[in-house]
Amino acid sequence: MQRTLSRKLCSVVLASAACFGAGAMSTAVHAQAAPATQAALLDELFSKQAITELLYKYPRALDRLDRDMLLSIAHPEARMQFGKQVFPSWSAYVDWLIKAHTAMLGNNHRISNILIEVKGDKAVSESTGTATLLVKREGQDDQYEERWMHSRYLDTWSRRNGKWALDSRQTVPDYRRISYVSAEDVKKRYEVAPRLGKADPSYALFGEK
């Protein structure tokens, strides 16, 4: 009887020990997995922040006609489609942008509605761009076009050597409105800040040259 009871007690003890060992092992596995999961989440958050700042740099650089800043947003071979126009490289697109906006009396761009998904060293994003442009009407020196434009940027990104940059961008035009304004009205009623380039006070604020 005692031997039978002893055997049962031994079985219970061994089973408990096995369960305890399994539980301890499971806890250890979770303890190891938790930092890895946290590291992955932190990397995703840091990546999203890096991409967000690059998205915000685009209108800042464009409104100041800063070619170098525009070039820094993308990998050199980045593909660009603007409506039906396709550019062979990011630098070709930047040169087109600078030329078009230099001829304008004024321009202002904004980025909003940013959505980013990150998968390792790759990411995609959608954002909304709005622009207000004041452009001399072609063939009529006494009139301007005031343009309101709403577009979406569909972007792909990659991280190389620890740095995120644009791989491709498709600009989808959603809305465009044009009003015609006389040069006299622009002179009387409009206040358009001059584009100072790198003399803009924001460069000194950020310690940029």
Side-chain angles (χ1 to χ4, degrees), residues 80-208:
M80 176 65 200
Q81 181 176 341
F82 186 89
K84 294 182 179 180
Q85 289 181 271
V86 178
F87 295 85
S89 66
W90 183 252
S91 62
Y93 172 65
V94 167
D95 289 340
W96 175 80
L97 277 179
I98 294 293
K99 182 179 179 181
H101 286 77
T102 299
M104 297 177 186
L105 180 62
N107 56 279
N108 183 270
H109 296 77
R110 295 159 299 284
I111 292 281
S112 61
N113 296 11
I114 296 173
L115 179 65
I116 303 169
E117 288 190 1
V118 177
K119 293 182 179 179
D121 289 330
K122 299 286 186 180
V124 296
S125 67
E126 179 186 52
S127 55
T128 298
T130 57
T132 306
L133 312 173
L134 195 58
V135 186
K136 182 79 75 172
R137 191 174 181 184
E138 189 174 354
Q140 300 190 38
D141 291 339
D142 62 341
Q143 281 199 330
Y144 284 89
E145 292 182 4
E146 189 169 21
R147 302 175 185 172
W148 290 270
M149 302 176 69
H150 298 246
S151 305
R152 281 176 295 121
Y153 302 129
L154 307 182
D155 298 333
T156 64
W157 306 81
S158 67
R159 177 168 52 186
R160 305 177 191 176
N161 299 318
K163 179 183 177 182
W164 284 98
L166 197 64
D167 280 327
S168 69
R169 166 167 289 181
Q170 179 183 0
T171 301
V172 181
D174 282 336
Y175 174 84
R176 184 181 186 186
R177 179 162 68 91
I178 298 176
S179 295
Y180 299 107
V181 187
S182 70
E184 187 65 24
D185 274 349
V186 169
K187 185 177 180 180
K188 288 181 179 179
R189 299 169 44 230
Y190 285 62
E191 291 184 14
V192 182
R195 287 171 293 190
L196 303 175
K198 292 187 178 181
D200 188 275
S202 65
Y203 285 83
L205 178 68
F206 286 101
E208 299 166 330

Side-chain angles (χ1 to χ4, degrees), residues 12-81:
V12 171
V13 170
L14 289 172
S16 299
C19 289
F20 177 78
M25 185 178 294
S26 176
T27 302
V29 169
H30 283 298
Q32 291 175 353
T37 302
Q38 290 175 357
L41 288 173
L42 284 173
D43 181 66
E44 182 180 350
L45 289 173
F46 285 135
S47 295
K48 287 185 176 183
Q49 182 61 31
I51 292 169
T52 298
E53 292 189 16
L54 289 171
L55 286 167
Y56 283 140
K57 270 189 175 182
Y58 178 76
R60 179 175 185 238
L62 187 51
D63 286 342
R64 288 157 185 80
L65 302 178
D66 189 332
R67 185 176 186 273
D68 291 337
M69 188 180 293
L70 283 169
L71 289 174
S72 72
I73 295 168
H75 295 298
E77 73 281 6
R79 304 178 308 279
M80 176 65 200
Q81 181 176 341

